[in-house]
Amino acid sequence: NNLDNGLLSYSKLKDYLKIYPEKIEYIVKRFNKLDDSKQSKILGYLALISDIPQIQSGLINIYQDNFTSNANKIRDIIALGFTKKPTSKTIDFLLQELYNDKEEISNTALLAIGRISKYDNSLEEIIIQYYKNGNYSQKQLAIKAMKNGGFKGN
């Protein structure tokens, strides 16, 4: 309820979730009842603690809610791209969204994959394949994804 009334500051929420990451489920349940401004801020703060596996899971659950707006789905993927410790569920989710019919979603997923490829080198091959199979604009995006990950290339 404090979240609904704006009484809980977002930085306190972030600190609280670091201690009690399982409480992310409360955020997931309440997320789409909040206004867009609060949703956007929450996703931004969740990005800062996205190394926590429960937070990654919560972000995926928020994304998969039918009431989550397209803009927040993009913010959600960006938040997942901030993790330095991606779970297998997060990687599988981003790989799935790489082939989303909505170009802005698939593009954002590719950039997030590029960013976390710094911490999981196996993702570099996926970016290379995306580059090889892509059209001109997809190739340009794959290059950006490689730069996001500090691409090492073999």
Side-chain angles (χ1 to χ4, degrees), residues 72-136:
N72 280 330
K73 287 179 185 264
I74 291 169
R75 291 178 186 122
D76 194 290
I77 292 172
I78 291 167
L80 285 169
F82 274 82
T83 185
K84 295 177 183 139
K85 300 175 184 175
T87 64
S88 59
K89 182 178 177 181
T90 294
I91 291 170
D92 290 346
F93 169 76
L94 291 172
L95 292 175
Q96 172 188 319
E97 293 310 308
L98 181 58
Y99 299 101
N100 190 298
D101 291 336
K102 295 180 180 170
E103 187 176 16
E104 65 274 14
I105 297 284
S106 62
N107 289 351
T108 306
L110 179 64
L111 294 173
I113 289 167
R115 191 171 167 100
I116 64 175
S117 71
K118 290 183 217 179
Y119 313 104
D120 184 339
N121 294 345
S122 69
L123 295 172
E124 287 184 357
E125 186 58 36
I126 289 161
I127 299 168
I128 291 168
Q129 288 306 314
Y130 190 91
Y131 177 88
K132 287 180 179 177
N133 297 327
N135 60 34
Y136 178 78

Side-chain angles (χ1 to χ4, degrees), residues 22-74:
E22 68 280 0
K23 298 294 184 182
I24 185 65
E25 288 311 311
Y26 173 78
I27 303 299
V28 171
K29 288 177 188 168
R30 305 288 308 152
F31 187 79
N32 280 308
K33 292 178 175 70
L34 302 171
D35 65 52
D36 190 60
S37 172
K38 287 179 182 172
Q39 290 175 350
S40 178
K41 287 176 184 170
I42 286 171
L43 290 172
Y45 277 104
L46 292 178
L48 300 175
I49 56 172
S50 63
D51 289 347
I52 302 169
Q54 294 95 323
I55 302 304
Q56 292 175 50
S57 182
L59 283 164
I60 292 168
N61 290 339
I62 288 170
Y63 179 96
Q64 292 173 333
D65 186 308
N66 291 333
F67 296 104
T68 300
S69 70
N70 204 51
N72 280 330
K73 287 179 185 264
I74 291 169

